[in-house]
Amino acid sequence: MPTMSMIEAINSAMDVALGLDPDVMIFGQDIGYFGGVFRATDKLQQRHGKQRIFDAPISEGGIVAAAVGMGAYGKRPVVEIQFADYIYPATDQIISEAARMRYRTGGEWWSPITIRSPYGGGIFGGQTHSQSPEGIFTHVAGLKIAIPSNPYDAKGLLIAAIEDDDPVLFFEPKRLYNGPFDGHHDRPVRNWAGHNDAEVPEGHYVVPLGKARRVREGGEVTILAYGTMVHVALCAAEETGIDAEIIDLRTLVPLDLDSITESVRKTGRCVVVHEATRTSGFGAELAAQVQEHCFFALEAPVERVTGWDTPYPHAFEWEYFPGPARVGEALKRVVNI
Amino acid sequence: MIRNSKGLHVPEPGCRPGEEPDFSHVEVPPAGEVVRPPVTVSAAEIRDHAFRLIRVLDDNGMACGDWNPALSPDMLLKGLRAMMLTRAYDARMVRVQRQGKTSFYMKCTGEEAVAVAATMALRHEDMCFPTYRQQGILLARDWPMVDMMNQVYSNSQDRLKGRQMPVFYSSREAGFFSISGNLGTQYSQAVGWAMAAAADGDERISTAWIGEGATAEGDFHHALTFASVYRAPCILNIVNNQWAISSFSGIAGGEATTFAARGLGFGIPSLRVDGNDFLAVYAVTAWAAERARTGHGPTLIELFTYRAEGHSTSDDPTRYRPSTEAGAWPLGDPLERLKRHLIVAGHWSEEQHQALAKELDEEVRAAGKLSESYGTLKEGDRWPASTMFDDVYRDMPAHLVAQRRQAGV
């Protein structure tokens, strides 16, 4: 089985989808001839033609609107928003239109669209190339949100998203595109070669939306994480020696509540980790769910380790980023109660 | 600080309540004056068309000039009938709203032609992306009135299952896209639909409508950009009915130039048309449809008209404009003008007109009775409340199953 980086796996997912379904169309800024600023669509236009994969103007609202219209026509559009930070001009089309199309038309129209977008920090992108806006969209009825943490999941989840008849926001942790990253920014960069989850089949497969994955079995505390933070959590468990069970959510909506509750009932403790700002972040939802469903199993308050409630600061990226030291401190606090 | 003595310019309409209506700024050129270019023309070659006013019907009911679509009497009568039906339908629905049988209604009085004539110039399989004031599309496509009423009542037969405000119709079969309250969103979606059709080599085209007020939204700019870039086979209509609730067209940028002129910067052929002239609207739409279908790309059409009634049943236009303004509108009434044309041409009479009006009232009344037998917002049957959890997603996820149980419905 070939080894793929996450960016190669994402490229492969779109290649497979274009090959299998003539209704798949892909467009976005710089994604055509050039193959995208992160190379996610490299060579796809050359392989599948300009009628199906092409460049779009710098107009996120227009891109998503066109996708909604194409979806109504019967296409299955996959669009790229170049950075998640740029998604806001498209929010009206995402929230008021795509998310509610099936509902408001009594099921006669829907928006089978996938919106791919690189998110998260760690690349010195400052406040406009580092954000994690997933929490804004988890609040919207009608959207699904998937976030992979490795190449295998990235391809399987993206194919599942494209084949899904509901609108899916597919946020890609850009810091993981070319290698796993545990938060130790001062250590040599690793690539995906040799990583278990970088063995990716060439052809079609899906990782179903709504199924979490236990990436580490443990008994002392449950860590709920997704995207880059899965690797940070693994590192924190290793460095503290705390026997943490780590659940990679993979999909925020629909949420695999059963996997979460099963683990927290077993460990009795829970730490929620995300890179996004804290207030009203998805971690708040997770903490509330754990409290509602596992209250009598809890031995300690649920902790959140998140980005601070500030914009993402360019020069203080690593003070902002919830790295393994901060996660480790939370683990120690929680297990010592 | 150096003072600018002029201060901020805030546009004001020519007249306010209590004053005489003033349409002296509206230039009404003679019918038949503007030439009909070949459909292969570029935007630059017909630049003037964005500033003039294409008119076919003159004040005597005669059809003039080379835009005259020379429609058969049958087509003209079909158009008249659909416009009269739209007006009769509106009248009844406002009445039932006042009786408390539904929450809200929006009439299109004075603007019937911009929906009906345009629709008749399209093929039935062409896709429409309307605003909430183009109910005439559905009626021109012979969509059952009772189905529209069911939606307005949110009753047990409402195809939208009681989820949408009145008049936010949707009909896939009729090629009528779901209405959004977030104005302008349909405009750029229509371009996406047309792009998909073009990619498939499909002959069908899309047509969108937007109010002049909502042209200030980003979606308008997105739509024109995408339509121009990809030469999308679509018709982009701007219904300039002079009023966006209480804001006159100057607040949307209508003082400095025409709304049609906005298309020129995108290289899109742009035409300004008398929106109360059934023949002119038909002819211009047919021209734009031929352009789109033969691969020449989009057309922008400003339909110059007047919103003769309030924005909606929640609005009182006497608070911001003279109550006599509608009667002073210099382009007349689209129904009266087509009726006169038919009479002058010898195809119609006052007696036949009265008889048809009566017949349509009866048709609307019968549909109303049938629809009310399925329930109204106030009483009778509705969809079961449990269905409010359906269709959020194709398959109901676990959290909605749990919430439905919790809701006890």
Side-chain angles (χ1 to χ4, degrees):
Chain A
M1 205 178 287
T3 294
M4 292 189 198
S5 68
M6 186 183 282
I7 202 78
E8 288 165 341
I10 286 166
N11 179 284
S12 174
M14 287 186 277
D15 194 26
V16 165
L18 284 160
L20 290 176
D21 183 352
D23 285 328
V24 171
M25 289 177 79
I26 300 181
F27 54 104
Q29 294 153 23
D30 302 299
I31 66 99
Y33 182 86
F34 177 56
V37 295
F38 289 103
R39 321 303 305 148
T41 53
D42 190 31
K43 296 193 175 62
L44 294 182
Q45 186 184 68
Q46 289 79 350
R47 219 170 289 152
H48 298 279
K50 278 204 292 192
Q51 297 290 307
R52 299 185 58 201
I53 167 157
F54 49 85
D55 287 329
I58 303 173
S59 174
E60 291 77 14
I63 289 169
V64 176
V68 172
M70 289 177 180
Y73 179 89
K75 295 290 181 187
R76 199 172 278 285
V78 182
V79 298
E80 177 178 304
I81 300 297
Q82 199 164 73
F83 285 86
D85 314 68
Y86 303 166
I87 205 165
Y88 307 118
T91 44
D92 192 31
Q93 287 287 346
I94 296 171
I95 293 174
S96 312
E97 301 293 313
R100 303 187 202 146
M101 197 57 69
R102 184 187 299 282
Y103 193 77
R104 80 184 204 203
T105 65
E108 71 174 7
W109 269 297
W110 55 94
S111 291
I113 68 181
T114 302
I115 300 171
R116 293 181 38 245
S117 195
Y119 87 100
I123 62 155
F124 285 105
Q127 55 168 329
T128 56
H129 302 79
S130 308
Q131 292 169 64
S132 301
E134 67 275 7
I136 293 171
F137 297 101
T138 59
H139 193 57
V140 178
L143 297 176
K144 293 180 178 174
I145 322 283
I147 301 181
S149 70
N150 61 68
Y152 181 89
D153 283 359
K155 179 171 175 179
L157 284 169
L158 182 52
I159 292 175
I162 294 170
E163 292 176 352
D164 199 282
D165 282 340
D166 294 313
V168 183
L169 288 173
F170 190 81
F171 288 115
E172 301 166 3
K174 65 174 93 71
R175 182 65 209 234
L176 301 186
Y177 271 156
N178 295 306
F181 177 64
D182 62 12
H184 285 293
H185 57 93
D186 45 356
R187 294 183 188 168
V189 172
R190 283 190 291 158
N191 63 34
W192 282 105
H195 195 285
N196 278 345
D197 298 325
E199 285 187 16
V200 179
E202 298 260 21
H204 176 277
Y205 68 93
V206 296
V207 171
L209 302 178
K211 293 277 175 236
R213 175 184 176 221
R214 187 171 62 188
V215 294
R216 186 184 191 283
E217 197 174 345
E220 282 189 275
V221 52
T222 299
I223 306 178
L224 303 178
Y226 50 89
T228 311
M229 291 303 131
V230 171
H231 301 270
V232 174
L234 280 163
C235 176
E238 202 175 302
E239 289 176 353
T240 56
I242 291 172
D243 186 26
E245 179 146 297
I246 301 175
I247 308 287
D248 176 358
L249 298 178
R250 299 203 288 200
T251 314
L252 308 192
V253 182
L255 183 66
D256 185 354
L257 191 57
D258 289 344
S259 294
I260 294 170
T261 53
E262 190 191 331
S263 177
V264 177
R265 283 185 191 134
K266 181 180 80 176
T267 62
R269 292 174 163 83
C270 182
V271 171
V272 175
V273 189
H274 60 58
E275 193 179 337
T277 48
R278 178 174 303 177
T279 302
S280 302
F282 193 64
E285 175 64 25
L286 291 171
Q289 292 281 1
V290 167
Q291 181 276 130
E292 281 173 28
H293 295 279
C294 310
F295 184 77
F296 294 105
L298 284 174
E299 307 282 345
V302 178
E303 279 241 17
R304 283 182 289 169
V305 184
T306 69
W308 306 119
D309 282 347
T310 71
Y312 218 115
H314 181 242
F316 309 110
E317 187 157 74
W318 302 113
E319 286 78 7
Y320 174 94
F321 187 91
R326 276 175 58 198
V327 176
E329 286 159 20
L331 292 177
K332 287 181 213 155
R333 276 196 299 274
V334 167
V335 297
N336 288 327
I337 287 175
Chain B
M1 176 173 140
I2 300 167
R3 287 207 158 272
N4 178 343
S5 60
K6 287 188 173 160
L8 179 69
H9 172 68
V10 180
E12 265 298 317
C15 50
R16 286 295 192 185
E19 296 173 349
E20 280 300 304
D22 178 14
F23 286 117
S24 57
H25 60 286
V26 176
E27 212 178 301
V28 183
E33 199 187 57
V34 181
V35 297
R36 183 182 187 278
V39 298
T40 52
V41 80
S42 71
E45 288 171 284
I46 54 163
R47 204 179 172 280
D48 282 358
H49 283 62
F51 299 94
R52 301 176 74 185
L53 195 66
I54 297 169
R55 306 181 73 223
V56 172
L57 284 171
D58 71 10
D59 292 346
N60 301 315
M62 300 295 286
C64 313
D66 56 3
W67 280 103
N68 178 7
L71 296 176
S72 68
D74 276 1
M75 278 291 276
L76 294 172
L77 283 169
K78 187 177 185 303
L80 182 68
R81 189 183 196 284
M83 290 200 294
M84 289 170 72
L85 184 61
T86 305
R87 194 165 289 184
Y89 173 77
D90 276 357
R92 178 172 179 101
M93 298 325 283
V94 164
R95 265 201 315 279
V96 300
Q97 190 276 338
R98 296 302 185 213
Q99 291 164 3
K101 291 176 181 172
T102 190
S103 54
F104 176 86
Y105 191 74
M106 301 179 99
K107 296 171 95 172
C108 66
T109 311
E111 300 174 47
E112 290 86 351
V114 306
V116 171
T119 303
M120 287 177 63
L122 299 171
R123 294 183 186 167
H124 188 83
E125 60 272 23
D126 290 336
M127 184 69 190
C128 296
F129 288 80
T131 78
Y132 43 60
R133 220 180 293 281
Q134 279 84 48
Q135 53 267 55
I137 296 169
L138 286 166
L139 295 165
R141 285 188 163 172
D142 298 321
W143 187 250
M145 223 179 336
V146 67
D147 186 84
M148 296 166 68
M149 292 169 163
N150 292 341
Q151 196 282 324
V152 171
Y153 286 135
S154 283
N155 67 19
S156 61
Q157 298 293 307
D158 172 15
R159 304 160 70 253
L160 309 184
K161 307 179 186 177
R163 295 174 188 159
Q164 283 274 56
M165 268 179 84
V167 315
F168 283 35
Y169 311 109
S170 172
S171 170
R172 195 180 181 112
E173 277 172 83
F176 184 100
F177 195 66
S178 160
I179 303 296
S180 180
N182 296 46
L183 303 188
T185 50
Q186 77 287 354
Y187 221 54
S188 39
Q189 292 163 356
V191 176
W193 194 98
M195 288 166 65
D200 267 12
D202 188 337
E203 262 211 339
R204 292 179 296 163
I205 65 171
S206 71
T207 304
W209 285 257
I210 196 171
E212 90 285 351
T215 62
E217 289 283 5
D219 298 276
F220 177 77
H221 183 85
H222 305 156
L224 268 62
T225 302
F226 279 64
S228 168
V229 167
Y230 302 106
R231 289 190 203 158
C234 59
I235 303 173
L236 299 170
N237 290 309
I238 302 169
V239 182
N240 178 1
N241 69 6
Q242 316 301 322
W243 291 95
I245 305 187
S246 73
S247 302
F248 87 117
S249 59
I251 294 294
E255 276 185 336
T257 185
T258 68
F259 289 93
R262 279 141 172 78
L264 297 175
F266 295 87
I268 297 175
S270 303
L271 312 167
R272 192 159 167 273
V273 186
D274 177 348
N276 290 15
D277 179 338
F278 182 91
L279 296 182
V281 174
Y282 184 99
V284 167
T285 308
W287 185 87
E290 189 187 337
R291 265 182 62 75
R293 238 182 280 283
T294 52
H296 294 95
T299 305
L300 184 74
I301 302 172
E302 176 183 348
L303 300 145
F304 198 68
T305 182
Y306 182 80
R307 196 194 76 208
E309 299 272 355
H311 168 71
S312 72
T313 49
S314 307
D315 182 34
D316 175 8
T318 65
R319 301 283 297 275
Y320 50 81
R321 69 183 191 188
S323 57
T324 51
E325 202 181 69
W329 176 243
L331 297 175
D333 177 80
L335 273 69
E336 288 302 316
R337 287 174 68 189
L338 184 58
K339 170 190 166 190
R340 173 180 262 247
H341 173 64
L342 278 158
I343 291 174
V344 167
H347 305 307
W348 200 235
S349 69
E350 192 60 53
E351 294 71 36
Q352 284 172 301
H353 194 82
Q354 295 310 323
L356 178 60
K358 212 174 148 205
E359 179 193 319
L360 295 176
D361 278 345
E362 191 48 44
E363 204 178 303
V364 173
R365 206 180 65 85
K369 276 186 74 174
L370 180 58
S371 180
E372 288 184 27
S373 76
Y374 301 136
T376 67
L377 188 62
K378 199 175 174 187
E379 56 194 12
D381 291 340
R382 291 190 204 168
W383 281 76
S386 61
T387 61
M388 75 178 176
F389 293 96
D390 295 342
D391 302 323
V392 182
Y393 298 92
R394 196 192 67 181
D395 305 311
M396 194 180 294
H399 69 284
L400 284 180
V401 174
Q403 287 175 27
R404 186 177 59 182
R405 199 182 311 122
Q406 199 177 0
V409 289

